[in-house]
Amino acid sequence: MNTRGLLDQLLKSGQDMLQNKAGGTQNKASGGALGGLLGGNGGSGGLGSLLSGAGGGALAAGAMGLLLGNKKARKVGGKVAVYGGLAALGVIAYKAYGNWQAQQGSAPKTEPQTLDRLPAAQVEQHSQAILKALVAAAKADGHIDQRERELIEGEFTKLDNDQELQHWLHAELNKPLDPSDVARAASTPEMAAEMYIASVMLVDEESFMEKSYLDELARQLKLEPGLKAELEKQVRQAAL
């Protein structure tokens, strides 16, 4: 399963989301979570009219918009845009680690091995864990129903027709939200930090349900309180 390229497209899709949302907001009264940003009435016609003839960036923006739902997508589109792709997420994690270690007054025993500093095989492992975290974070507000799951899977198929990836995505979208299951994908502290950053990037912290999910995820990832706070700080600063 190759998730690196797909995840990179998703993380780069924020600019397309921002460019498309202006026209989409005219239609926000219809279509619920799929209206507004994604255009039209929230059905395949509205989505198709937005993405017809579009490049991969707009397709990724459509997939990300479906994952997030209309309201949240408009809110976090700017956050997504600042990351500039997968490597940038690793840079944020690396910086957070450095600041946290400095606050503790201790020199790092080893340099943090974030995904911007790893060989391709390990980047793929990190990518799968981060994509798992993104899908879970998108479900944290409870907006994804059966119809929306089908639309999301359809958009991901347009981005990448890897059958193994499609089966994996189907399973992740349909399983109950479980922070402990998400956290088990983190095999290194750096991976845990990257997964948490991606989750913070996607949740609406003004939502009690989503904030509760984020706090439980941090607990399951066994993030030190100081590191958790620094990771959140770096997301906020990057989004300014």
Side-chain angles (χ1 to χ4, degrees):
M1 189 169 81
N2 182 6
T3 57
R4 180 181 182 179
L6 175 63
L7 181 58
D8 199 44
Q9 287 186 75
L10 289 174
L11 291 174
K12 287 178 177 175
S13 68
Q15 195 59 48
D16 292 278
M17 292 167 68
L18 293 175
Q19 289 169 355
N20 288 327
K21 76 177 183 183
T25 53
Q26 298 170 6
N27 303 304
K28 68 180 179 181
S30 61
L34 299 181
L37 176 72
L38 298 175
N41 59 8
S44 58
L47 182 61
S49 66
L50 173 67
L51 298 178
S52 60
L59 285 171
M64 183 68 95
L66 281 167
L67 263 182
L68 296 177
N70 177 43
K71 179 182 176 183
K72 195 195 297 184
R74 286 202 303 270
K75 202 162 195 175
V76 307
K79 279 191 196 177
V80 179
V82 301
Y83 279 78
L86 191 56
L89 195 149
V91 171
I92 295 291
Y94 184 87
K95 184 176 180 181
Y97 254 104
N99 290 350
W100 174 60
Q101 288 169 336
Q103 291 162 10
Q104 292 182 309
S106 59
K109 295 178 182 178
T110 57
E111 185 177 53
Q113 295 299 295
T114 48
L115 58 77
D116 55 311
R117 298 161 186 272
L118 294 172
Q122 291 182 51
V123 171
E124 175 59 27
Q125 186 181 10
H126 282 233
S127 297
Q128 290 182 21
I130 293 165
L131 186 56
K132 183 181 182 76
L134 285 178
V135 172
K139 294 193 295 185
D141 68 350
H143 87 270
I144 299 178
D145 58 20
Q146 178 60 37
R147 174 171 167 272
E148 288 163 324
R149 283 196 294 270
E150 292 171 359
L151 285 170
I152 290 166
E153 290 184 46
E155 287 310 299
F156 272 82
T157 300
K158 292 179 186 178
L159 280 169
D160 191 322
N161 61 6
D162 180 338
Q163 288 300 304
E164 186 181 1
L165 181 57
Q166 298 307 321
H167 290 312
W168 178 88
L169 177 67
H170 178 80
E172 291 298 316
L173 283 168
N174 284 277
K175 66 172 54 172
L177 184 63
D178 182 358
S180 63
D181 174 66
V182 177
R184 280 194 291 272
S187 57
T188 69
E190 292 90 342
M191 202 181 295
E194 292 158 358
M195 292 171 67
Y196 188 68
I197 286 174
S199 301
V200 172
M201 187 176 74
L202 260 70
V203 303
D204 177 1
E205 293 190 74
E206 295 177 12
S207 162
F208 175 79
M209 187 185 304
E210 293 179 66
K211 184 65 168 62
S212 297
Y213 166 76
L214 202 58
D215 289 342
E216 180 59 20
L217 177 63
R219 191 177 75 82
Q220 294 291 340
L221 287 168
K222 298 180 172 57
L223 295 177
E224 294 284 345
L227 177 57
K228 174 180 179 289
E230 185 62 34
L231 293 168
E232 293 168 353
K233 177 184 175 183
Q234 290 303 321
V235 172
R236 287 194 298 270
Q237 289 183 348
L240 292 177

